Amino acid sequence: MIEKIGFMQGRLSPIVNGKIQSFPWNHWQDEFKEAHRIGIHKMEWTLDQENLYDNPLMTKTGREVIKRQSSKYNVEVVSLTGDCFMQVPFWKATGSIEAALIEDFRAIMKACSTLNIKMIVIPLVDNGSLVSQIQEDKLVEILLKESQSLVDLGLRIAFESDFTAVNLQRFIKRLPRELFGINYDIGNSASLGFNVTNEFLHYGDRVINVHIKDRPVGGTTVPLGLGNADFETVFKNLSLYEYQGNYILQTARDSGGYHGEVIRDYLKMTNEWISLYEF
């Protein structure tokens, strides 16, 4: 199952301004070569709101370079995490700002389709968290209006959320399963103290992408195995629900700068967990 494991863009680059996750402007091309070196062949792109239209994904020239690097090093960009949506959520904006952010969303969808990226992760956490029914209703309304575009472009949306299992089940049922699903973030669920089996009982059949990381309850990302994530129960449940999607390493950074070696270790660990419960 190692071919199903990918990494979050930036995890193979030096840390930018102390941030655990940020687009690696100076090293993004190098990550393809480094991924090939350590034997990982899937990447989840990251996109920030700052300088959005300068990101290589969003320029014709940049997309051509991505295609060349992807082909040369056999590293496929399979999904995108839209941190931009969390940083400036269109479902919390109004008026001309809302309209501009929705246009950004449409431009991102088109860019993804051009590169054959099949999935966009929308983080409903931190600044993107849905804190009122009005915000939830607005998000659902906007996305339903964009459903035909998703079909035409061959895209699916995966939500990362801080909702409880009951509320996340209620929310995802409002949207058609062929286009919308859940991004299950192992570390975030551990940090929130959620019960894994209960989560999967409520929405396990809607999980379409998985982020691999570890966090202690109420804490930030730590190396795999040092937090409160119950990896064996997670992978057991993924197998029970016959999960067939990707596993994206969104893991802790290495303070010594040995990013490739750490990701290679996490690749091996994740593959062993998957192998324990293959269906």
Side-chain angles (χ1 to χ4, degrees):
M1 293 297 291
I2 203 163
E3 70 277 1
K4 288 285 189 179
I5 305 170
F7 71 100
M8 183 67 67
Q9 185 184 45
R11 289 313 198 267
L12 293 177
S13 292
I15 297 171
V16 179
N17 297 326
K19 297 178 181 178
I20 192 170
Q21 185 164 307
S22 182
F23 182 76
W25 290 98
N26 295 326
H27 299 276
W28 69 270
Q29 292 192 52
D30 301 331
E31 287 202 311
F32 289 89
K33 183 178 181 179
E34 179 68 355
H36 179 80
R37 181 184 74 83
I38 64 174
I40 191 166
H41 299 289
K42 282 182 166 54
M43 177 195 297
E44 185 162 299
W45 201 264
T46 59
L47 196 60
D48 296 313
Q49 186 65 30
E50 186 177 7
N51 299 318
L52 175 69
Y53 287 95
D54 292 328
N55 189 289
L57 175 80
M58 303 299 290
T59 71
K60 183 177 180 181
T61 301
R63 288 192 293 271
E64 290 303 316
V65 177
I66 294 169
K67 289 177 184 177
R68 287 199 301 271
Q69 293 294 90
S70 181
S71 176
K72 181 177 180 179
Y73 293 108
N74 189 28
V75 177
E76 181 185 10
V77 183
V78 293
S79 49
L80 172 141
T81 279
D83 284 342
C84 53
F85 306 127
M86 176 178 62
Q87 292 156 358
V88 190
F90 55 78
W91 52 94
K92 295 187 179 184
T94 58
S96 60
I97 295 176
E98 176 189 347
L101 291 173
I102 292 174
E103 284 303 311
D104 289 347
F105 176 53
R106 291 170 178 157
I108 292 166
M109 287 195 293
K110 291 176 182 176
C112 285
S113 180
T114 301
L115 286 175
N116 202 33
I117 296 172
K118 299 293 188 183
M119 186 177 301
I120 296 175
V121 178
I122 295 182
L124 305 177
V125 297
D126 299 329
N127 191 53
S129 183
L130 296 173
V131 297
S132 71
Q133 192 62 49
I134 291 173
Q135 290 177 8
E136 180 184 319
D137 291 345
K138 184 175 185 178
L139 175 61
V140 169
E141 179 184 2
I142 292 169
L143 291 176
L144 287 175
K145 287 180 179 178
E146 300 298 326
S147 290
Q148 189 57 53
S149 292
L150 290 170
V151 172
D152 294 342
L153 296 170
L155 290 167
R156 299 180 80 187
I157 300 293
F159 297 101
E160 184 174 311
S161 171
D162 55 11
F163 273 156
T164 63
V166 170
N167 282 333
L168 188 49
Q169 179 191 52
R170 175 192 52 76
F171 168 74
I172 201 62
K173 282 186 173 180
R174 300 182 65 183
L175 295 159
R177 70 169 54 242
E178 63 271 18
L179 296 176
F180 300 95
I182 302 298
N183 176 79
Y184 186 79
D185 188 298
I186 300 173
N188 288 359
S189 286
S191 176
L192 291 165
F194 291 158
N195 179 279
V196 173
T197 300
N198 183 56
E199 289 180 294
F200 276 85
L201 282 172
H202 282 85
Y203 58 76
D205 61 330
R206 298 295 296 269
V207 175
I208 60 174
N209 199 50
V210 173
H211 282 174
I212 306 290
K213 69 169 179 265
D214 201 352
R215 295 173 65 179
V217 174
T220 190
T221 306
V222 296
L224 297 186
L226 298 186
N228 288 103
D230 185 351
F231 290 103
E232 290 196 5
T233 301
V234 169
F235 283 94
K236 181 179 180 180
N237 275 278
L238 288 167
S239 179
L240 286 172
Y241 284 88
E242 299 186 352
Y243 175 72
Q244 298 182 44
N246 295 318
Y247 304 83
I248 304 298
L249 298 172
Q250 196 185 29
T251 42
R253 307 305 304 272
D254 180 65
S255 58
Y258 295 101
H259 306 295
E261 284 64 35
V262 167
I263 288 293
R264 184 160 50 191
D265 289 343
Y266 292 154
L267 174 67
K268 181 180 178 182
M269 292 170 68
T270 302
N271 191 53
E272 289 173 352
W273 281 319
I274 296 170
S275 299
L276 279 175
Y277 298 104
E278 282 184 298
F279 56 87

